[in-house]
Amino acid sequence: MEWKKTACILCECNCGLEVQLGGEGDRHLVKLRGDKAHPSSQGYACEKPHRLDHYQHGTDRLTSPLRRRADGTFEEISWDVAIREVAQKLAAVRDTHGGETIFYYGGGGQGNHLPGAYSGATRRMLKMRYRSSALAQEKTGEFWVGWRMMGSTTRADFEHCDVGLFLGKNPWFSHSIPRARVTLKEISADPARTLIVVDPRRTETAEIADIHLALKPGTDAWLLVALVKLLLEEDAIDHAFLVAHGAEGELPEIRAAMAAFSLADCLARTGLDEALVRRTATVIAKAKAFASFEDLGVQMNHHSTLVSYLHRLLILLTGSFGKPGTHFIPSVLVNVMDGEAKRTSPVVGARLVGGLVPCNSIADEILTDHPKRYRAMLVEASNPAHSLADSIRIREALSSLECLVVIDVAMTETARLAHYVLPAATQFEKAEATFFNFDFPHNYFHLRKRLFAPLANTLPEAEIHARLVEALGGLDEADLAPLREAAKLGLTAYAQAVLMRVLPNPKLSAVAPVVLYRTIDLPEESRDGAVVFGLFAKAAMENPEALARAGFTGTPLEVAVKLFETMLASDSGMVFAIDDWSDTVKRAKTSDAKFHLALPDLLEELAKLPGLPAQDVGFPFVLSAGERRSFTANTIIRDPEWRKKGAEGALRINPEDAAALGVVTGETVRLTTRRDAVLVAIEVSASMQRGHISLPNGLGLTYPSGKRGVAPNDLTSTSDRDPFVGTPWHKHVPARVERA
Ligand code: SF4
């Protein structure tokens, strides 16, 4: 049987896969294996994608556009009616209240990024100004401090580091670095290298680490203060690096800030042994190449932005940037790590990092009589009714909108609240790609071709946006005909026509993604990739050296054409850029061309470093809501049968806590937070500290057969959030456990 190329869609790594199709109509993924020819994953794949057929054949697939009736039930309507009415309703909100009252959420994620690229055309037609995505409940604090300190967030070169640190991250299951388990095992097995894990839990990564700092939940800020303090005391500072980047002058402020802390107090708060913390500081101080990665364990916890700041201090003070085995800024096609914060949200004035409204503010922006409240919403390839904190309030907000339109593959929890539901093709029924291209020095891009034709009466998001733009009056045939003619003459002639006719024309350039989609002559299997042509043209102007090293030379137009042709011919993905370590330093651009150690607002927050809230007698446990486990992912697989293990998602609890409660594995307990209470099965696990409990992510979806597992966000609150960027503290939810 033929092996076809595609990619895994379950985490940001998007490992290349080879699949065999079979079953009814050859529409099933019957065999999967890692694709050795994929430039990044090189044949690697974890256990999760082997059951991806459960995604392709989810239990509540949409098969027709739907319109909600007054009684709350849905009726099927034709695509023509759906597009016309959605365009009319959203245009009416724009014309009456302004486009800024229509809010966009989603746009894809993991391996599904093209919807977001095409949605730009629809958003511009509707004059929409505000948007958000899952990034705004995870990464915006890190992006914001990175942008202010170094001009960008960085990634880390774990392949070549001699000391690797994971902060609130279990890459064994959450990955995020290429071939994660191979790299982790290599660091762990090499006596000359040190793997450090900071995590309250004895995770799978902690199991193979050289140093596991099992601190008390939520005390990461004190640990980082202790480490920075020790580095300063030993003067294990890369002064030459700081001088080179204009940051040495800010060192006294950092010394003063750290001097205000006592090491003993920091250690007491973390519960860590002084000798272990001192050893960690020494290992980092002596590292030839220190690489580190922070993730949701700290980014969804108390002091999240402050922790991101302290983490970045550790990187800069040790000069761990711009050389092999340290941190780098990759060449990117789309800057998904944008940390600039120029605007605020219209109602509550929340800081928008990278233009994203904090997810925890969305309900407040809707549930108000403020004239600039969001009155309509377009949700695409996302499920905020399930994935955002305090699902109860988010659902109330979504239900109160004048118009909610959902574009999705399945009848999600959000789609059930919509006025219109537009059924999309799955990720294997259209060409798709990811913009999480963070590899270094060889960076790759993979346009994976479709494996199947879209299910009848469903459409790829590119086609949905093209039809919406046309219904909104954004395009007519007279605009497109000359481009189509040029396309017949080949890509170079086409690119010249775009340069002459689209870029100077504000009307066409506003909807350029759709113009490309409607006019480039592509085979059906790659058609949705049209928008990438524009991104290649941009990259050709921004990163000519890196692209040239990968063999793409010539004028920007010639480079864009070569990149596009190579992309179409590369079933396993292509290396589009080869970076040099000097490029990464050039990309670190702050407004004054210097690195910054002293951020006044963060230092002010550090000076008062708020302690953790006093333990409430009613809620003696700390719940970590959303742990990544072997068969958990985001919620795109809407079939509980895909999980080989833990289909219901048990609550993990320390053996002594379980004994004190008199419960054993498999028994059902009542789990209560300030927001709600649920019944859940217990899994007694020595990986948990006393007082710390954890629920898996991605469960609690409502299938046609009923709800399976606990939805973590039924238990979380929007008010428990970071003071700077509003990220939620899902990993530190006060909770109570009782025998049911
Ligand atoms: S590491 Fe991520 S992308 Fe790769 S196979 Fe596993 S879940 Fe899929």
Side-chain angles (χ1 to χ4, degrees):
M1 283 176 76
E2 186 190 357
W3 288 96
K4 289 180 173 276
K5 310 271 190 178
T6 186
C8 176
I9 55 175
L10 297 178
C11 89
E12 69 183 73
C13 294
N14 297 114
C15 300
L17 296 178
E18 292 186 305
V19 297
Q20 286 185 352
L21 309 183
E24 192 182 340
D26 267 355
R27 287 187 67 89
H28 287 262
L29 304 157
V30 293
K31 267 194 178 174
L32 297 98
R33 67 183 184 194
D35 178 6
K36 291 189 178 134
H38 190 273
S40 176
S41 56
Q42 300 167 31
Y44 176 90
C46 72
E47 70 278 20
K48 294 187 189 187
H50 293 280
R51 293 160 70 84
L52 267 175
D53 197 51
H54 291 274
Y55 161 76
Q56 176 60 22
H57 295 276
T59 54
D60 39 16
R61 181 82 195 266
L62 292 162
T63 53
S64 167
L66 300 173
R67 177 172 61 197
R68 186 141 59 98
R69 298 189 187 97
D71 66 1
T73 59
F74 286 95
E75 60 186 337
E76 295 189 358
I77 53 175
S78 70
W79 272 105
D80 284 349
V81 171
I83 293 290
R84 187 176 65 242
E85 291 191 8
V86 166
Q88 279 171 354
K89 293 244 166 29
L90 294 179
V93 176
R94 174 196 62 193
D95 298 340
T96 311
H97 304 290
E100 67 271 27
T101 65
I102 310 173
F103 186 59
Y104 179 81
Y105 187 87
Q110 312 299 20
N112 190 32
H113 278 162
L114 297 183
Y118 284 106
S119 76
T122 305
R123 287 186 275 135
R124 283 187 283 278
M125 287 304 298
L126 289 166
K127 298 189 167 30
M128 294 161 73
R129 289 194 67 216
Y130 296 102
R131 67 189 170 94
S132 194
S133 74
L135 282 174
Q137 64 171 357
E138 300 169 353
K139 298 280 168 194
T140 37
E142 181 189 9
F143 293 172
W144 185 54
V145 294
W147 174 73
R148 295 169 72 196
M149 296 171 82
M150 311 173 64
S152 174
T153 307
T154 53
R155 304 284 293 188
D157 177 13
F158 286 97
E159 219 180 313
H160 302 104
C161 69
D162 62 333
V163 177
L165 172 115
F166 291 98
L167 183 59
K169 178 164 186 68
N170 178 17
W172 192 266
F173 280 136
S174 64
H175 309 286
S176 305
I177 58 172
R179 304 159 65 245
R181 292 176 189 172
V182 175
T183 303
L184 293 173
K185 282 191 209 161
E186 281 173 3
I187 303 175
S188 170
D190 187 340
R193 304 172 79 189
T194 309
L195 180 61
I196 305 169
V197 170
V198 178
D199 201 309
R201 292 183 303 114
R202 186 79 179 163
T203 61
E204 292 73 10
T205 313
E207 281 290 346
I208 60 166
D210 300 287
I211 297 176
H212 176 205
L213 295 161
L215 74 186
K216 289 182 194 166
T219 61
D220 305 80
W222 286 280
L223 171 63
L224 288 168
V225 167
L227 291 174
V228 171
K229 207 174 156 55
L230 288 168
L231 291 178
L232 288 168
E233 279 173 17
E234 292 168 22
D235 198 26
I237 305 299
D238 189 338
H239 293 285
F241 175 87
L242 295 183
V243 170
H245 293 285
E248 177 80 0
E250 295 180 14
L251 197 51
E253 278 182 80
I254 304 304
R255 283 191 198 285
M258 297 302 156
F261 289 88
S262 107
L263 186 65
D265 178 60
C266 289
L267 296 176
R269 287 177 190 265
T270 61
L272 292 169
D273 174 54
E274 181 174 341
L276 189 62
V277 176
R278 282 190 180 276
R279 184 180 152 217
T280 307
T282 304
V283 166
I284 293 172
K286 291 189 173 162
K288 290 187 205 73
F290 169 61
S292 55
F293 197 127
E294 63 173 74
D295 212 348
L296 306 191
V298 293
Q299 292 174 337
M300 290 184 149
N301 213 324
H302 283 272
H303 318 117
S304 40
T305 299
L306 183 61
V307 166
S308 295
Y309 169 61
L310 292 164
H311 173 209
R312 206 135 297 271
L313 277 182
L314 208 56
I315 294 170
L316 291 183
L317 292 174
T318 53
S320 303
F321 173 72
K323 56 188 182 188
T326 66
H327 300 81
F328 60 85
I329 302 170
S331 48
V332 290
L333 293 175
V334 175
N335 183 13
V336 291
M337 303 192 293
D338 181 9
E340 195 167 1
K342 289 185 279 202
R343 296 189 291 143
T344 55
S345 67
V347 174
V348 301
R351 177 178 281 120
L352 309 192
V353 176
L356 301 176
V357 174
C359 296
N360 274 7
S361 299
I362 293 171
D364 297 335
E365 299 282 337
I366 297 171
L367 293 170
T368 166
D369 56 5
H370 192 288
K372 289 295 174 197
R373 68 183 179 275
Y374 304 142
R375 296 165 189 264
M377 205 163 152
L378 178 57
V379 175
E380 181 165 40
S382 283
N383 189 6
H386 181 275
S387 61
L388 302 193
D390 195 348
S391 304
I392 300 164
R393 189 145 188 273
I394 279 285
R395 284 184 201 136
E396 184 191 343
L398 296 176
S399 304
S400 75
L401 292 164
E402 290 171 29
C403 183
L404 172 61
V405 179
V406 170
I407 301 173
D408 212 314
V409 172
M411 195 62 174
T412 64
E413 286 67 19
T414 308
R416 289 187 194 116
L417 305 173
H419 297 92
Y420 291 90
V421 185
L422 306 180
T426 70
Q427 293 193 47
F428 299 119
E429 294 169 351
K430 58 173 179 166
E432 249 310 339
T434 177
F435 297 132
F436 293 141
N437 317 108
F438 302 135
D439 282 20
F440 190 93
H442 292 69
N443 204 355
Y444 82 100
F445 181 76
H446 185 195
L447 181 83
R448 50 185 201 274
K449 289 157 192 156
R450 79 179 196 189
L451 297 173
F452 314 107
L455 195 67
N457 218 17
T458 69
L459 294 174
E461 292 91 343
E463 180 65 30
I464 295 173
H465 285 293
R467 293 188 188 190
L468 283 172
V469 165
E470 285 156 357
L472 289 161
L475 279 180
D476 53 50
E477 192 49 36
D479 296 322
L480 303 183
L483 293 165
R484 289 207 177 103
E485 285 305 311
K488 286 183 194 154
L489 303 174
L491 260 181
T492 302
Y494 177 79
Q496 278 161 346
V498 170
L499 207 63
M500 305 280 291
R501 292 178 174 275
V502 179
L503 297 189
N505 180 335
K507 179 189 162 198
L508 287 186
S509 59
V511 295
V514 165
V515 172
L516 295 174
Y517 174 73
R518 279 285 187 247
T519 55
I520 303 186
D521 197 11
L522 290 177
E524 274 304 324
E525 58 175 12
S526 308
R527 197 165 170 227
D528 313 84
V531 68
V532 181
F533 187 76
L535 301 175
F536 281 157
K538 191 164 151 278
M541 287 185 279
E542 290 174 354
N543 278 320
E545 294 95 357
L547 271 49
R549 281 187 216 108
F552 300 101
T553 53
T555 63
L557 194 139
E558 287 166 346
V559 168
V561 169
K562 282 185 200 169
L563 283 164
F564 200 71
E565 285 172 344
T566 307
M567 174 192 82
L568 293 174
S570 310
D571 286 349
S572 293
M574 64 193 268
V575 172
F576 74 92
I578 301 179
D579 279 321
D580 186 87
W581 281 96
S582 62
D583 294 337
T584 204
V585 178
K586 281 186 228 151
R587 284 185 199 126
K589 284 185 194 142
T590 57
S591 55
D592 60 1
K594 293 177 182 171
F595 285 181
H596 291 283
L597 303 177
L599 302 185
D601 45 358
L602 271 302
L603 285 177
E604 198 180 311
E605 181 76 357
L606 183 63
K608 60 185 187 214
L609 189 51
L612 295 176
Q615 194 118 6
D616 187 327
V617 282
F619 300 100
F621 285 93
V622 171
L623 168 67
S624 181
E627 180 191 346
R628 306 265 186 99
R629 295 182 187 169
S630 181
F631 276 88
T632 66
N634 61 19
T635 58
I636 58 171
I637 304 185
R638 296 192 66 91
D639 177 0
E641 301 309 316
W642 91 278
R643 290 193 189 91
K644 250 186 164 173
K645 296 178 194 164
E648 302 296 332
L651 178 76
R652 285 187 175 155
I653 189 168
N654 174 277
E656 289 178 50
D657 286 332
L661 287 163
V663 292
V664 294
T665 293
E667 201 166 331
T668 298
V669 295
R670 176 180 298 276
L671 170 64
T672 307
T673 67
R674 292 199 181 93
R675 205 65 190 104
D676 210 347
V678 294
L679 295 176
V680 60
I682 280 282
E683 179 188 329
V684 179
S685 168
S687 68
M688 303 303 297
Q689 293 189 15
R690 285 215 69 177
H692 192 207
I693 50 179
S694 121
L695 274 176
N697 73 322
L699 279 96
L701 296 178
T702 306
Y703 304 99
S705 56
K707 192 167 177 174
R708 295 286 293 273
V710 173
N713 284 314
D714 286 349
L715 300 165
T716 58
S717 154
T718 54
S719 56
D720 294 335
R721 60 171 121 166
D722 180 76
F724 296 101
V725 299
T727 39
W729 295 335
H730 286 349
K731 307 294 181 184
H732 207 281
V733 182
R736 179 168 72 242
V737 181
E738 297 155 295
R739 296 189 71 172

